[in-house]
């Protein structure tokens, strides 16, 4: 299969494939970060996570329309406004859901799974009713179009670079929040020992609600970033939910570093194999490997040692 | 709760008889063949729901991949029927006669080796059960021996359902791809598309379902059933009492898979095709909700739950296609939040006392399903 390629062509194909893997990696990380907070820290199985993400994508879509029609002068920076709004919208919806639904089910994790699946069905149909069944895309400002030629053969799309930079910033922000801020300390305390955390004066209910809200908000940002590289439909969230859960579980549920490492290995494996095999076989093989490894090492790649 | 000395109490016998009457007398008498065939299709899902009652309600193992077993059973049967329908005479216009049409469309020139054994009917009957059970055994062995359970088991079975769907869709030439295996005509020369065949298949299906229910009842009342409940509630204590918890879990998971597989095979026979849309994540979770609506602790409730949800789905999506997903979502949330024991729970707390008062006090045995 390598006939007819020169060495430099092969090298650039590998580089392009690696870059495609990096973009996939960014998307995985953005999606998995929110889930790592909600599932990894709180232990809530949120099957509606994909729908929170899609909410962010739709908010971005609305923003791009509003800026295009009413504020064309500011169109080049609309994306940053959209991102903030996406965070707020998904976060607010998340907190509402936590209050109405999730908080009654903390002791029954398997039931949360069913309830949030129901929530995801309702959200999907709501999107379909409001935005229509067809996929929508946003128009990018000029500075995000095009690509940077690195060599004659390798070109790097700017929106891909932008998504990667965004991923870095958000990961750093989430990491700082979890491990450097007082809120993060409270979250980790509540998750490790709820009763004791309550006894030392942490408002556990408020912490839960805020944690769930922030997890969903990060999903909203992921959705906003997602519009940069793909179109959005009502059921797009469901396509990614299994991958996202596998990324979080494979990384070790309570470890942010593990989530990043597993997102990296899964995305690189998948995009590298896509070069040799068909897309569906690459995906099957990647997922099978992950499931296989999880059967051998159920606790995931990185684990936090906690006494139960 | 009485001990497992008697297999069916008198009240339970009455409940079983009522269900049998509904399936074998009321439905066939009150519906035309189209509706009856539709209800036969719903009843094939009930096999899965009954298996889930054992796995989830009693064993505490929530599998989100029951569609895999349903699909494997259905595909095994569909492969046999497809080979029978693809005789060289019937497929003479193809560039390679004698192989299923979708293989010909995908430029295959010979039947793949693993399709060959499905020429034989006895082999197919064995494979319908054996293939899914083998799958379940491998999954169960790998997971339960390592004490993976609860949430992780649910996520991994879900991933397996996703993998199998992608695989079936991706390997069009071998599996029929997204359309599945369609255009099935005869079973051992007997046309399954006629009205009389549909009647017969409906009754065969109902009979098999009653057998499954009796098997499930047997498991419930046996020592195995009580160990399952004990495991669900206090796994460590059962382990410390000297039982190998993993083996019990593997057994009940395989039993659930076998029931789902029978349902899948009957589905293929009654509906006349099998496709990946019955394998993936969405159908698998819907099957869990059938079980939850009926009541996760009641094997008979699971049948009623399946019938009710599917009937509602058909009626709603005919009349208000927009509203169906909202209703389904609300059903998920409502069942979990408000009625964790489903229809059977409602029956036990509201209807059963009246029924008991109506019948003489002598007939009142134990309730249909024990509360938690």
């Amino acid at each position: 299969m390598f006939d007819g390629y020169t060495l430099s062509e092969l090298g650039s194909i590998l580089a392009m494939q690696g870059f495609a893997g990096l973009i996939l990696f960014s998307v995985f990380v953005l999606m998995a970060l929110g889930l790592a907070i909600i599932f990894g820290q709180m232990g809530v199985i949120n099957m509606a996570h994909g729908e929170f993400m899609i909410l962010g994508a739709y908010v971005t879509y609305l923003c791009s329309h509003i800026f295009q029609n009413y504020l064309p002068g500011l169109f080049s920076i609309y994306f940053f406004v959209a991102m903030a709004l996406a965070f707020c919208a998904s976060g607010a919806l998340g907190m509402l859901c936590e209050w109405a639904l999730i908080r009654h089910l903390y002791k029954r994790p398997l039931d949360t799974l069913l309830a949030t699946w129901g929530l995801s069905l309702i959200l999907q149909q709501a999107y379909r009713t409001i935005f229509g069944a067809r996929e929508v895309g946003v128009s990018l400002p000029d500075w995000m179009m095009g690509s940077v030629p690195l060599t004659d053969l390798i070109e790097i799309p700017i929106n891909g670079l932008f998504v990667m930079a965004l991923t870095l910033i958000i990961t750093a922000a989430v990491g700082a929040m979890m491990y450097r801020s007082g809120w993060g300390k409270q979250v980790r305390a509540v998750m490790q020992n709820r009763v004791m955390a309550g006894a030392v004066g942490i408002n556990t209910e408020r912490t839960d609600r805020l944690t769930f809200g922030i997890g969903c908000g990060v999903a909203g940002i992921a959705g906003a970033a997602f519009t940069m590289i793909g179109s959005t439909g009502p059921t797009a969230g469901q396509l990614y939910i299994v991958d996202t859960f596998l990324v979080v579980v494979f990384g070790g549920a309570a470890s942010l570093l593990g989530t990043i490492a597993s997102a990296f290995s899964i995305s690189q494996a998948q995009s590298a194999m896509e070069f040799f095999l068909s897309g569906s076989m690459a995906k099957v093989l990647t997922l099978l490997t992950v499931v296989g490894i999880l059967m051998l090492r159920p606790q995931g790649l990185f684990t936090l040692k906690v006494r139960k | 709760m009485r001990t497992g000395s008697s297999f069916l109490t008198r009240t339970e016998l009455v409940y079983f008889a009522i269900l049998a009457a509904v399936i074998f007398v009321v439905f066939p008498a009150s519906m035309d063949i189209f509706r009856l065939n539709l209800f036969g299709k719903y009843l094939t899902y009930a096999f899965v729901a009954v298996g889930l009652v054992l796995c989830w309600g009693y064993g505490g193992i929530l599998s989100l991949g029951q569609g895999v077993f349903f699909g494997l059973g259905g595909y095994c049967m569909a492969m046999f029927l497809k080979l029978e329908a693809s005789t060289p005479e019937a497929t003479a216009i193809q560039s390679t006669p004698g192989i299923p049409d979708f293989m010909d469309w995908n430029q295959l020139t010979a039947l793949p080796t693993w399709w060959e054994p499905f020429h034989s009917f006895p082999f197919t009957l064995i494979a319908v059960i054996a293939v899914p059970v083998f799958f379940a055994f491998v999954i169960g062995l790998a997971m339960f021996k390592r004490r993976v359970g609860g949430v992780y088991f649910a996520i991994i079975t879900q991933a397996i359902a996703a993998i199998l769907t992608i695989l079936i869709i991706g390997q069009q030439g071998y599996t029929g791809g997204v359309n599945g295996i369609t255009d099935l005509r005869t079973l051992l020369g007997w046309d399954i598309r006629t009205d009389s065949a549909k009647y017969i298949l409906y009754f065969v299906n109902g009979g098999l379902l009653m057998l499954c229910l009796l098997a499930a009842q047997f498991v419930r009342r046996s020592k195995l059933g009580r160990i399952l409940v004990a495991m669900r509630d206090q796994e460590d204590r059962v382990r410390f009492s000297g039982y190998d918890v993993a083996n019990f879990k593997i057994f009940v998971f395989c039993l659930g898979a076998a029931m789902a597989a029978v349902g899948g095979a009957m589905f293929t026979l009654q509906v006349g095709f099998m496709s990946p849309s019955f394998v993936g994540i969405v159908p698998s979770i819907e099957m869990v909700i059938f079980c939850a609506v009926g009541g996760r602790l009641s094997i008979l409730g699971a049948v009623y739950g399946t019938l009710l949800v599917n009937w509602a789905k058909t009626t709603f999506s005919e009349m208000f296609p927009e509203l169906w997903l909202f209703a389904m979502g609300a059903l998920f949330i409502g069942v979990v939040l408000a009625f964790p024991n489903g229809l059977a729970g409602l029956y036990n707390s509201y209807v059963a006392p009246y029924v008991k008062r109506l019948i003489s006090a002598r007939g009142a045995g134990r309730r249909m399903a024990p509360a938690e």
Side-chain angles (χ1 to χ4, degrees), chain A residues 39 43 45 47 100-101 104-105 108-119 121-126 128-129 238 241-242 245-246 249 253 278-281 283-284 287-288 291 294-298, chain B residues 56 60-62 64 138-139 142-143 146 148 150-152 154-156 158-160 162-163 166-167 169-171 281-282 285-286 288-289 292 296 321-323 325-330 332-333 336-337 340:
Chain A
F39 175 61
I45 312 178
M47 295 301 287
L101 190 66
H104 306 291
L105 300 169
R108 297 187 278 159
L110 289 178
D111 287 6
T112 358
L113 194 158
L114 294 181
T116 49
W117 180 264
L119 181 67
L121 290 183
I122 291 177
L123 287 177
Q124 271 175 32
Q125 186 58 43
R128 199 170 289 133
T129 314
Q238 215 169 48
I241 190 73
V242 171
F245 264 108
L246 274 188
V249 174
S278 67
S280 67
M281 279 314 282
K283 182 136 194 185
V284 165
L287 292 183
L288 265 186
V291 168
L294 277 179
M295 283 180 175
L296 297 176
R297 197 181 153 78
Chain B
W56 179 35
I61 310 161
L62 177 54
L64 295 184
V138 171
I139 296 170
M143 311 270 296
R146 294 191 170 267
V148 179
V151 171
Y152 289 87
I155 291 176
I156 289 184
Q158 195 178 34
I160 290 170
I163 293 172
I166 300 172
L167 192 67
I169 295 177
Q171 297 299 308
I281 298 170
V282 178
I285 295 192
E286 276 186 8
V288 173
I289 207 68
R296 62 187 78 168
E322 291 268 298
L323 283 181
L325 273 181
F326 285 127
M328 184 85 171
F332 269 90
I333 295 172
V336 167
L337 279 186

Side-chain angles (χ1 to χ4, degrees), chain A:
Chain A
M1 67 185 298
F2 295 115
D3 299 342
Y5 291 113
T6 64
L7 207 59
S8 69
E9 274 173 336
L10 263 182
S12 43
I13 287 172
L14 275 184
M16 296 287 276
Q17 209 67 25
F19 189 77
L22 280 180
I23 295 180
L24 192 64
F25 163 62
S26 312
V27 175
F28 274 172
V29 167
L30 280 177
M31 287 193 303
L33 271 181
L35 205 65
I37 295 174
I38 291 172
F39 175 61
Q41 301 291 331
M42 304 177 71
V44 173
I45 312 178
N46 184 14
M47 295 301 287
H49 197 74
E51 277 63 39
F52 284 105
M53 189 181 108
I54 296 305
L55 179 66
Y58 275 121
V59 168
T60 315
Y61 165 73
L62 284 183
C63 271
S64 94
H65 263 257
I66 289 168
F67 274 73
Q68 217 163 14
N69 293 333
Y70 301 104
L71 299 163
L74 295 173
F75 186 68
S76 55
I77 58 150
Y78 88 88
F79 186 71
F80 300 98
V81 181
M83 230 163 51
L85 285 177
F87 179 82
C88 295
S90 295
L93 186 66
M95 275 155 91
L96 181 72
C97 291
E98 202 274 348
W99 174 78
L101 190 66
I102 312 282
R103 72 185 165 124
H104 306 291
L105 300 169
Y106 279 123
K107 291 200 177 116
R108 297 187 278 159
L110 289 178
D111 287 6
T112 358
L113 194 158
L114 294 181
T116 49
W117 180 264
L119 181 67
S120 85
L121 290 183
I122 291 177
L123 287 177
Q124 271 175 32
Q125 186 58 43
Y127 297 149
R128 199 170 289 133
T129 314
I130 299 169
F131 298 102
R134 287 177 54 196
E135 300 208 331
V136 296
V138 303
S139 31
L140 297 177
D142 290 337
W143 60 270
M144 268 194 222
M145 312 259 225
S147 52
V148 186
L150 208 63
T151 67
D152 292 345
L153 293 164
I154 305 174
E155 285 194 342
I156 293 177
I158 292 179
N159 56 359
L161 274 182
F162 182 78
V163 170
M164 279 197 269
L166 194 67
T167 310
L168 271 182
I169 296 168
I170 290 169
T171 313
V174 170
M177 270 199 305
M178 290 303 295
Y179 294 104
R180 291 283 177 271
S181 74
W183 169 78
K185 214 173 259 175
Q186 286 190 355
V187 171
R188 284 180 292 140
V190 171
M191 296 323 141
Q192 286 185 13
N193 194 332
R194 183 174 296 271
V195 181
M196 194 60 85
V200 296
I202 297 173
N203 185 344
T204 55
E205 273 190 26
R206 216 191 90 222
T207 312
D208 282 336
R209 193 154 311 146
L210 206 61
T211 315
F212 196 82
I214 288 181
C216 292
V218 173
I221 297 186
F226 191 68
T227 57
M228 302 280 100
I229 47 181
S231 52
T232 311
T235 51
Q238 215 169 48
L239 298 178
Y240 290 93
I241 190 73
V242 171
D243 295 282
T244 317
F245 264 108
L246 274 188
V247 165
V248 176
V249 174
F250 186 53
S255 156
L256 277 187
L257 190 68
T259 304
I260 294 166
S262 82
F264 184 77
S265 40
I266 291 178
S267 58
Q268 288 299 333
Q270 191 171 323
S271 67
M273 272 193 277
E274 263 169 18
F275 178 61
F276 299 105
L277 303 159
S278 67
S280 67
M281 279 314 282
K283 182 136 194 185
V284 165
L285 277 183
T286 318
L287 292 183
L288 265 186
T289 316
V290 170
V291 168
I293 293 176
L294 277 179
M295 283 180 175
L296 297 176
R297 197 181 153 78
Q299 69 273 43
L301 291 178
F302 293 75
T303 44
L304 191 68
K305 287 208 167 52
V306 184
R307 280 191 198 159
K308 298 273 178 192

